[in-house]
Amino acid sequence: MKMIGFYDYTVILTYLSLMSGTIGIMLCLNGMGHPYLGMFFLLFSGLCDTFDGKVARTKKDRTPQMKKFGIQIDSLSDLIAFGILPACIGIAMLRYIMYIPDLSGFTKYILTYYNLQAQIVLTAIAVLYVLAAMIRLAYFNVMEEEDQNRDESGAKIYTGLPVTSAALIFPAVLLVHLLVRADLTFLYFGVMLITGILFVSKIHIKKPQNKGIATMIFFGAVECVVLIFALKFLKK
């Protein structure tokens, strides 16, 4: 039986990124939520996304349909992995914090006296973040189809913060969490709000080359090590 779509090695990393993001979402929505495990899958999706374009370009006989298909599945995968998953991680962090006994500080005060209001506001931030990610990805697809994602010199640029940057931004909040040993749930949502705004802003960012990609992989690896440490720390 024939199936729709294109099936070759160029789509494998994109599909792995999507499946990783989906697993992360399921873990975040399971029980009271597992935000740290979700963060691990966010990092893995980011790793897959780093190389999927390079792998696809190694196939020289791709037809125009194959290229367009690749662009579409990449954006759809990114929406799940870097749009919906970070939002679910935030909601899981909120649910996780609410179950911590003897919670002190700002979060306890807000959740004690403004529980419903806080949940509404933070949920709204998460929803708007996903909306901003979708707009950013759709805009990228339109500009890419018209070959407008270039500056005057012909170099590849991004208009608006790339959605895939979420793979490095949100795990960094976890790193800060371990350094200061404080609840950073509200900081996470603040970062989410700013990141969503940057998605739809008109800032221009040059596409990273090999050195920039290597730097991002290094920071991702550091964050992954920190995440593993966090999981061990939480078990104690």
Side-chain angles (χ1 to χ4, degrees):
M1 181 181 70
K2 291 185 177 181
M3 302 174 66
I4 61 173
F6 300 94
Y7 300 90
D8 52 52
Y9 69 89
T10 63
V11 302
I12 293 175
L13 286 178
T14 303
Y15 290 166
L16 285 176
S17 177
L18 180 140
M19 289 188 288
S20 174
T22 303
I23 293 172
I25 291 170
M26 291 176 176
L27 288 173
C28 287
L29 299 180
N30 180 39
M32 69 177 182
H34 300 276
Y36 296 99
L37 285 175
M39 203 75 77
F40 175 80
F41 286 97
L42 176 61
L43 282 166
F44 182 75
S45 292
L47 180 64
C48 292
D49 183 80
T50 300
F51 295 104
D52 62 355
K54 289 183 176 295
V55 170
R57 286 190 289 274
T58 62
K59 186 174 177 59
K60 302 303 182 182
D61 59 344
R62 284 195 303 163
T63 64
Q65 280 188 331
M66 288 180 177
K67 293 179 181 178
K68 290 181 179 180
F69 180 77
I71 292 172
Q72 296 302 322
I73 63 171
D74 185 61
S75 290
L76 292 170
S77 171
D78 288 352
L79 179 60
I80 293 173
F82 310 113
I84 299 175
L85 176 55
C88 289
I89 289 173
I91 298 300
M93 288 178 69
L94 180 62
R95 293 164 66 186
Y96 186 83
I97 288 299
M98 293 172 68
Y99 280 94
I100 294 179
D102 302 322
L103 181 67
S104 62
F106 179 74
T107 300
K108 180 179 181 180
Y109 178 83
I110 293 294
L111 294 180
T112 300
Y113 297 100
Y114 304 99
N115 194 318
L116 178 60
Q117 297 92 323
Q119 289 192 54
I120 291 174
V121 171
L122 297 181
T123 301
I125 290 175
V127 171
L128 290 174
Y129 169 83
V130 176
L131 175 62
M134 184 194 71
I135 293 171
R136 170 67 180 79
L137 291 165
Y139 184 79
F140 172 84
N141 283 3
V142 172
M143 299 301 283
E144 185 72 11
E145 195 165 304
E146 297 179 355
D147 199 25
Q148 297 292 314
N149 290 323
R150 298 183 183 276
D151 60 15
E152 296 177 354
S153 66
K156 197 85 170 181
I157 61 169
Y158 298 116
T159 302
L161 183 70
V163 171
T164 53
S165 61
L168 293 178
I169 292 174
F170 294 111
V173 178
L174 172 62
L175 192 150
V176 176
H177 164 68
L178 288 180
L179 291 177
V180 301
R181 298 291 180 88
D183 168 44
L184 298 177
T185 301
F186 285 87
L187 173 63
Y188 183 93
F189 280 91
V191 171
M192 186 184 298
L193 178 62
I194 294 172
T195 303
I197 293 172
L198 291 176
F199 283 164
V200 294
S201 66
K202 286 191 174 183
I203 59 173
H204 288 166
I205 300 175
K206 284 191 175 182
K207 183 177 181 179
Q209 301 304 314
N210 291 336
K211 186 180 292 187
I213 292 173
T215 302
M216 290 189 294
I217 292 173
F218 171 77
F219 279 112
V222 170
E223 290 174 339
C224 187
V225 171
V226 170
L227 177 58
I228 293 172
F229 174 79
L231 292 173
K232 291 182 178 180
F233 174 78
L234 289 173
K235 289 179 180 179
K236 293 181 180 180

